[in-house]
Amino acid sequence: QVQLVESGGGLVQAGGSLRLSCAASGRTNSRYGMGWFRQAPGKEREFVAAISGYTSITYYADSVKGRFTISRDNAKNTVYLQMNSLKPEDTAVYYCAGRNSALVVTTSGQYDYWGQGTQVTVSS
């Protein structure tokens, strides 16, 4: 019922910035918690950031704290991931995810909706 589409990926030099967007369509609601995950070749999908419904409480993986910011614009049904001070180890396919609960979670299996992913490549 809900479709998510990511955009904003690309190639950036180390130390640069990039802003990812996740547009939701279908039956959307500001109550839904949203998250960002990433997956590099040969590695498992890992949690990056999440934002809760209602109160928009945020949570970040230790590897991105202080560099990445997750936010949401409920009027536009869009979630953002602002990525600053990018490092080569941030290179991965980034996925937007949503769930029917407002609670913030960090496990991919607890999300109900997924986008197609967008490639982020950071050169050194």
Side-chain angles (χ1 to χ4, degrees):
Q1 295 180 5
V2 176
Q3 296 182 353
L4 305 176
V5 179
E6 303 99 331
S7 62
L11 176 65
V12 65
Q13 293 184 336
S17 298
L18 206 61
R19 189 193 193 196
L20 305 183
S21 298
C22 174
S25 62
R27 177 126 173 81
T28 61
N29 197 297
S30 62
R31 298 175 298 174
Y32 300 154
M34 302 294 295
W36 286 95
F37 292 77
R38 66 187 183 186
Q39 187 168 23
K43 300 181 66 176
E44 64 180 9
R45 187 171 299 183
E46 64 175 345
F47 169 78
V48 176
I51 185 167
S52 70
Y54 292 113
T55 56
S56 296
I57 298 172
T58 59
Y59 189 81
Y60 300 92
D62 290 339
S63 60
V64 305
K65 284 183 179 178
R67 300 188 298 121
F68 291 9
T69 302
I70 186 172
S71 62
R72 66 192 302 163
D73 186 335
N74 293 326
K76 297 181 178 180
N77 293 319
T78 302
V79 179
Y80 304 96
L81 184 67
Q82 178 66 46
M83 304 184 291
N84 299 325
S85 301
L86 283 163
K87 304 175 181 180
E89 50 262 45
D90 294 318
T91 296
V93 176
Y94 283 70
Y95 297 91
C96 175
R99 63 195 308 266
N100 291 320
S101 173
L103 183 67
V104 171
V105 295
T106 61
T107 303
S108 61
Q110 299 187 65
Y111 284 82
D112 303 301
Y113 317 107
W114 291 87
Q116 83 288 348
T118 185
Q119 177 70 46
V120 172
T121 302
V122 184
S123 62
S124 59

